[in-house]
Amino acid sequence: MKRILILVAISLFLCFIANSFQGGGGEATKKPKPTAKPRTAAAAKPRVALPKRSLTGTTNGEVTTPSGLKYRDELVGTGESPRIGQNVTAHYIGRLENGTKFDSSMDRGQPFSFRIGTGAVIKGWDEGVMTMKVGGKRRLIIPPHLSYGAAGRPPNIPPNATLIFEVELLSVNAANPTAPELSAPPAPATAALTIRSTPPNSSIFVDGQSIGVTDEDGLLNLPSLKPGDHIISGRKERYRDAQMPVFLEANQTQTAHLELSPLSGTLTVTLNVSGAQIEIPNHGNYDDEVSNLELDAGTYSIHAAKPGYRTVTQKVAIEAGRHSDVSLTLELTDEERLAQQAKNVAALTQLTQNYYLNNEFDRFVSAANRALDAGASLEFRLQHHHAFASLHTVKLTLTARSISFDPQVTEGVFCSFRPFTLPIEIVTVAQVEEGERFLSMRANGTYLKLTLQDSTNPKKTYTLNFADPASYFVQGGRGTAMESRTEATQALTALSRVVQYASIVARSSSRTPAGGSATASGASSSATKELIAKAIDAAGGLALLQSIKDMYSASTASIVAQGNQTIAVKTYWAAPDKYRQEMASNKTTNIYLFDGREGSVFTLNGKAPKLADATKQMRIITKLGGSGLYLHLLEPDTNLQLLGRQQVNGKLSEGIKVTDKDNDTYEIYFDAETYLPVKYAYQLRASTGMLYIEGIVTAYFEVQGFKIPRQGKSYVNGTLNAEERLTEVKINPGLSTSLFLKPVK
């Protein structure tokens, strides 16, 4: 039981974010047989001179020559021995050491002929047949360096293979019938090689000697090279040297492709502001600056971003062996610039309204939040929708402290609600819903639903539904339905985000933490609010956190408690209370699920483990997932207690103890300098007793502006349980609700 609990606990830092891969047969003139040397070899070696006929050792009739060749005569012939340059004809069977036959002239019914001593066959054959006599039979044991070496001859001859041949020498004939006695070796055979280089115009060397330069197409033809082993090298300025071994067969044309990789250059990026993020796609994210970063030659897009500033993108060409400097200037957005000047509250308010009217909704949300923080009052003309099919224009006014509703914009219109101005924190729900949920027929109507809590009776709520100003009712065969413009959903969603922002900030400002006297509570409330505000800002800002509806992440974890077993982890999180985690090893895949009410464990290929306190554990992890870590700190029914400072990862941190409406208690610690989360802790009851679970964050990165823990460790009762590293994160991927449903058995 404890081991299963430990498995769930590996989501150390993911709690913060999302709980937070030619031989044998054929014609004798083309196949390798024993004669065909591979076209490439693992290493170039000088041609080995034919050995003298003195022997280094004889054991049970087996002879070992100085080169390492071994042979044993099964039958000594009575005819002549071949001489260099003569044509010899033989039958053979070739086998590997394990007895596998890879080639046989006897199977083909055709003996094999070659010119001995000219490099036309592998070295072991040249040497081993040279001392035979016609009519003789010999067993050759040829080591790799005298045959096909480290390259082998796929698919029949593996790398570094020792080959065994049974050879019968049938005849020896003069290479030139008119001159049977060769007073000197024949003219050496040649081989042709075409070199193709990437990039073109590369200098080519053969066995260390310069031999030419490839042309604009990267080609260089070498028609007369000596057969045998060679090393082909390529060189070009700002590229790394490249080389490859080749074996050239006599009277054959071969091709070698040399690829030279570019040398790297270095890059330094500086910004005019601090606290910004620099992103180099497919390479990494960096804080504030990049200094002497080594990059392969090529063109890169450099992105710099900071909340409140316009994102800047600039392309830079990195040249091999050279340094590039890039200086980026980030400018304040209009709303940020106005928000920093109190006298421009009116201009900021106007800018907010302009964004809304021009359908620039992302800018509208940012500007509206800034305007509210600066003390602005924002007015919106909407249509109030009653239970019956009627709409009338109303005015909704928002400030950082209040929400006002005026239904009497148009005279003579009846409204069941009277005008009111109430504290903004009484808004408990601000969400957009589709019209078919309210009407008897399907339509394209979209509504903003606001739920307000009665200040005198917390269990009592009121609901107001607002439509976009351009919405209208249509009559159909099944009744009346409302139509809304295409942008209505975006517009009302943006407005709901602003209402949520104002309500959350107001609730945070008015909270009194649990415990302590009135005086102590007041001091604690101020310090707690400041710590939460700094943590939210460090994570990416409240508006960003509110926009995160779901997240997906993938990671790898090493389970120390199980011999460093590596498992793959996939985590899915959806606000406010949906969670799913899949842990896959080489034997089984377990699914840990919280559907908003109950925690469960399932398996895809085995018996599901049992958790003593699955619901509580999964519920806590869900609260620590995605943006839930931060937004749960702002919930009205959540009690907070400052825990003071302690050392985490050798750095000072500040802690908060959280006790929420479910009576779940957990601790969160934030770095005292960066205000990023560095530790979480909670307790669970198991059959073996209480388990104290901790997660420690050791590295971060940023995804779409959200600072996310990337790497960390988990502990159970003080013992290291797992180490985990994030490999992929997707924010707002639009997860299907079916992910969080219990699997159907």
Side-chain angles (χ1 to χ4, degrees), residues 22-228:
Q22 305 176 356
E27 298 180 8
T29 58
K30 295 183 179 179
K31 296 296 181 179
K33 309 183 186 67
T35 72
K37 186 75 174 184
R39 298 178 184 266
T40 60
K45 297 181 180 179
R47 286 286 303 277
V48 178
L50 292 175
K52 297 179 180 179
R53 301 196 180 198
S54 60
L55 307 178
T56 60
T58 303
T59 303
N60 295 326
E62 185 178 278
V63 178
T64 301
T65 72
S67 69
L69 172 71
K70 296 180 181 181
Y71 68 83
R72 182 173 67 232
D73 284 320
E74 307 293 346
L75 176 65
V76 177
T78 58
E80 63 176 323
S81 293
R83 296 188 298 275
I84 293 176
Q86 285 186 308
N87 290 327
V88 299
T89 301
H91 262 313
Y92 68 90
I93 300 174
R95 290 185 173 90
L96 302 178
E97 284 185 296
N98 62 8
T100 301
K101 182 166 64 175
F102 60 83
D103 196 6
S104 173
S105 65
M106 293 182 177
D107 291 348
R108 293 192 296 273
Q110 181 179 358
F112 170 67
S113 298
F114 67 99
R115 195 175 183 188
I116 197 167
T118 63
V121 293
I122 58 177
K123 295 175 182 178
W125 258 65
D126 260 341
E127 181 183 350
V129 176
M130 183 69 74
T131 55
M132 292 182 67
K133 293 183 177 182
V134 174
K137 295 181 180 180
R138 177 173 287 183
R139 177 183 175 90
L140 300 177
I141 304 174
I142 304 176
H145 69 277
L146 297 179
S147 56
Y148 297 103
R153 186 90 182 212
N156 295 325
I157 300 176
N160 297 310
T162 295
L163 306 182
I164 300 173
F165 288 94
E166 297 171 12
V167 182
E168 180 183 1
L169 184 58
L170 301 177
S171 64
V172 174
N173 300 305
N176 184 350
T178 62
E181 297 293 333
L182 297 176
S183 58
T190 61
L193 178 65
T194 297
I195 296 176
R196 182 183 298 274
S197 73
T198 303
N201 305 122
S202 297
S203 299
I204 302 301
F205 300 79
V206 176
D207 299 328
Q209 299 296 316
S210 178
I211 203 166
V213 178
T214 58
D215 60 20
E216 293 296 331
D217 296 322
L219 297 177
L220 176 64
N221 294 314
L222 305 175
S224 300
L225 292 177
K226 185 179 179 181

Side-chain angles (χ1 to χ4, degrees), residues 383-451:
Q383 295 197 83
H384 183 210
H385 170 251
H386 290 269
F388 47 89
S390 66
L391 294 170
H392 66 92
T393 303
V394 298
K395 181 171 67 175
L396 195 68
T397 305
L398 297 177
T399 72
R401 297 294 180 186
S402 66
I403 180 171
S404 299
F405 172 74
D406 182 4
Q408 303 301 327
V409 175
T410 304
E411 293 185 5
V413 174
F414 169 77
C415 183
S416 57
F417 282 86
R418 295 182 179 181
F420 64 76
T421 297
L422 296 170
I424 187 66
E425 56 262 37
I426 72 167
V427 179
T428 60
V429 175
Q431 65 187 35
V432 174
E433 298 186 346
E434 297 300 321
E436 57 261 32
R437 296 187 59 179
F438 301 101
L439 302 175
S440 60
M441 64 174 287
R442 287 188 174 272
N444 297 321
T446 304
Y447 295 83
L448 169 61
K449 175 184 176 181
L450 298 183
T451 301

Side-chain angles (χ1 to χ4, degrees), residues 109-110 138 155 163 166 225 238-239 242 264 365 416 423 459 473 514 540 561 576 620 630 663 707:
Q110 181 179 358
R138 177 173 287 183
L163 306 182
E166 297 171 12
L225 292 177
R238 299 182 187 172
Y239 286 82
S264 58
V365 172
S416 57
K459 294 184 179 180
F473 279 100
I620 291 177
Y630 303 94
N663 204 30
K707 292 285 184 63

Side-chain angles (χ1 to χ4, degrees), residues 608-627:
K610 295 181 180 180
L611 294 181
D613 208 350
T615 293
K616 180 177 180 180
Q617 180 166 24
M618 309 309 288
R619 187 172 62 231
I620 291 177
I621 291 176
T622 302
K623 293 171 182 177
L624 294 171
S627 56

Side-chain angles (χ1 to χ4, degrees), residues 15 101 103 190 194 217 311 321 351-352 356 361 387 454 457 470 483 500 527 540 567 596 678:
C15 285
K101 182 166 64 175
D103 196 6
T190 61
T194 297
D217 296 322
T311 299
L351 181 66
T352 300
Y356 190 78
F361 298 118
D454 192 311
N457 183 3
E483 293 282 348
Q500 292 172 21
I567 65 173
V678 292

Side-chain angles (χ1 to χ4, degrees), residues 550-569:
D550 53 24
M551 291 181 62
Y552 161 80
S553 67
S555 62
T556 58
S558 176
I559 311 301
V560 179
Q562 296 183 18
N564 292 318
Q565 177 189 6
T566 299
I567 65 173
V569 183

